[in-house]
Amino acid sequence: VVNIGIFGAGFAGSQHARGYRNHPEAKVVMVVDVSAERAQKLAGEVGSEWSTGPDQIFQNPTINLVDICLPTPYHRDYAVRAFAAGKHVVIEKPLALTLADADEILAAANASGKFLMVGHVLRFWPEYLAVRQKLLSGELGRPLAASALRLSNLPQWAEWFRDPQKTGGAVLDLMIHDVDMLNWLFGRPEWVSAVGIKEANGGWNHVSAQIHYDSVQAAVEASFLMPRDFPFTAGIRIVCEGGVLEYQFRAGGASFEAGQADSYAQCHAPGKPFQRLEVETADAFESEIAYFVKCVDKGVPPETVTPQAARLAVQTALAVRESLETGQIVSISE
Ligand SMILES: NC(=O)c1ccc[n+]([C@@H]2O[C@H](COP(=O)([O-])OP(=O)(O)OC[C@H]3O[C@@H](n4cnc5c(N)ncnc54)[C@H](O)[C@@H]3O)[C@@H](O)[C@H]2O)c1
């Protein structure tokens, strides 16, 4: 059994907790949040203890997996402390807000010999997996171009999302999902360029980026500027030599898990009608959690999201932000 300590009983912490609750080999032992009320509520849902102090997790010898679902600026310190305490670590995306912080986390993971996994949940999202599988099957030939989008309003459930210093803006918080997916599909990007809208508080909250891969041109749009009741919208389209792959998702409400979603994943080859892709029925967060738990339980390093991939996602996102600031093309160095 994998014993888990969760930091953060907010939106992401609650999603993760549900995944652990439904997993036979996982047991949440402790939920920690600075808000006693939230810690207590989530602990009640998963049948764990709760606390407002971090040592209840770091110093608990029975806990072998620490799950960090804290606001992004806390990721580095909590991860470094968890590794120093000899725990495996799961962190929500983005890994960190700077490459220096990302590198510090990776170094702490290396020094401890424990696993580091980042919650890039699209890598567990059934429709993205169906698109990827079709692409990798080679049936549609080589990919030539791709576009992705992620449109939302600012999350209403927590105040810290209003501060771009804490979230990294739409690029680090939202677009990083698509950036990571494109990197997963097409490899290491060579350069990026971007235009966007910068708000008075310094946040780039509506951004269109071009990402250039060795043989694929990609475009990504991410926005936090949608009206409050605009349904959360995301998707990807990949143009290949022999056809097009598409996934479009429109939630039934402002947040991605709200209401009855309108969604399709399909493939179009010339001369043939649209073909729906075969999509597994699964909750992406539960699949992600189940994967992490299995890796820790079996002692197998996670491969679906490697620390290097999570670092590359941060590096690519930071390059997009640099391009927004400078108006220049920014290359992605090794
Ligand atoms: N993968 C996804 O789709 C997804 C969705 C939402 C959020 N996230 C990520 O998850 C992380 C958390 O976001 P969220 O939406 O859950 O935020 P949230 O505000 O809903 O939850 C964060 C919780 O942490 C608590 N907290 C703050 N500082 C603390 C501290 N020092 N010690 C203990 N508790 C503390 C807060 O009280 C709050 O309950 C962010 O990095 C975010 O980018 C990912």
Side-chain angles (χ1 to χ4, degrees):
V1 171
V2 176
N3 287 324
I4 296 122
I6 300 179
F7 281 115
F11 185 87
S14 305
Q15 297 270 358
H16 289 207
R18 204 175 311 135
Y20 294 122
R21 198 180 49 204
N22 293 339
H23 195 293
E25 298 301 324
K27 180 162 176 32
V28 178
V29 176
M30 180 69 65
V31 173
V32 167
D33 198 295
V34 283
S35 154
E37 193 189 327
R38 284 195 212 176
Q40 189 169 17
K41 181 163 177 288
L42 190 59
E45 285 173 26
V46 294
S48 75
E49 309 235 3
W50 64 272
S51 172
T52 54
D55 289 340
Q56 297 293 327
I57 286 181
F58 292 135
Q59 292 179 7
N60 183 333
T62 69
I63 290 176
N64 43 3
L65 174 60
V66 170
D67 189 335
I68 301 171
C69 291
L70 297 172
T72 310
Y74 295 107
H75 288 187
R76 182 200 59 196
D77 285 358
Y78 280 74
V80 167
R81 288 179 71 184
F83 283 122
K87 318 291 190 193
H88 299 289
V89 176
V90 174
I91 313 181
E92 255 306 338
K93 51 47 68 177
L95 170 61
L97 292 171
T98 66
L99 262 193
D101 283 1
D103 284 338
E104 209 178 313
I105 298 172
L106 264 59
N110 270 338
S112 76
K114 300 293 173 182
F115 300 157
L116 165 64
M117 299 163 283
V118 177
H120 280 294
V121 71
L122 294 199
R123 293 186 183 222
F124 299 89
W125 205 274
E127 286 85 354
Y128 284 96
L129 291 175
V131 165
R132 179 171 183 264
Q133 197 177 16
K134 193 74 169 176
L135 180 71
L136 294 181
S137 79
E139 269 174 65
L140 298 178
R142 277 193 319 120
L144 304 172
S147 61
L149 84 168
R150 197 156 297 271
L151 310 177
S152 178
N153 47 39
L154 267 185
Q156 302 297 319
W157 60 81
E159 201 53 41
W160 68 274
F161 282 101
R162 291 179 198 290
D163 183 351
Q165 299 300 326
K166 295 183 176 155
T167 63
V171 180
L172 268 294
D173 195 80
L174 209 53
M175 186 184 276
I176 197 154
H177 283 293
D178 304 285
V179 159
D180 176 64
M181 178 50 55
L182 293 166
N183 290 351
W184 199 34
L185 295 172
F186 306 126
R188 193 180 178 87
E190 292 179 350
W191 53 258
V192 305
S193 76
V195 290
I197 295 171
K198 191 179 198 175
E199 294 196 282
N201 64 7
W204 289 98
N205 275 343
H206 187 108
V207 178
S208 297
Q210 306 282 333
I211 306 182
H212 177 89
Y213 294 87
D214 180 29
S215 58
V216 177
Q217 303 297 334
V220 199
E221 182 185 23
S223 184
F224 269 141
L225 291 191
M226 306 315 284
R228 210 177 231 252
D229 52 353
F230 188 88
F232 179 88
T233 299
I236 189 165
R237 183 184 317 113
I238 304 171
V239 179
C240 303
E241 289 168 321
V244 177
L245 284 161
E246 276 185 313
Y247 168 47
Q248 292 298 330
F249 174 86
R250 177 150 274 178
S255 179
F256 65 82
E257 83 294 7
Q260 179 61 43
D262 182 11
S263 152
Y264 60 85
Q266 63 191 16
C267 148
H268 184 261
K272 291 189 191 158
F274 278 108
Q275 183 198 341
R276 292 268 157 170
L277 298 181
E278 247 176 71
V279 176
E280 196 195 340
T281 312
D283 177 271
F285 283 98
E286 283 193 20
S287 304
E288 175 188 73
I289 294 299
Y291 179 73
F292 293 159
V293 168
K294 188 177 85 183
C295 288
V296 170
D297 195 34
K298 305 272 183 240
V300 178
E303 284 177 353
T304 304
V305 187
T306 61
Q308 290 72 24
R311 181 191 189 277
L312 182 61
V314 172
Q315 187 181 9
T316 313
L318 289 170
V320 168
R321 262 225 328 246
E322 187 183 333
S323 178
L324 289 167
E325 292 289 351
T326 62
Q328 304 289 314
I329 285 175
V330 177
S331 57
I332 312 282
S333 54
E334 282 302 318

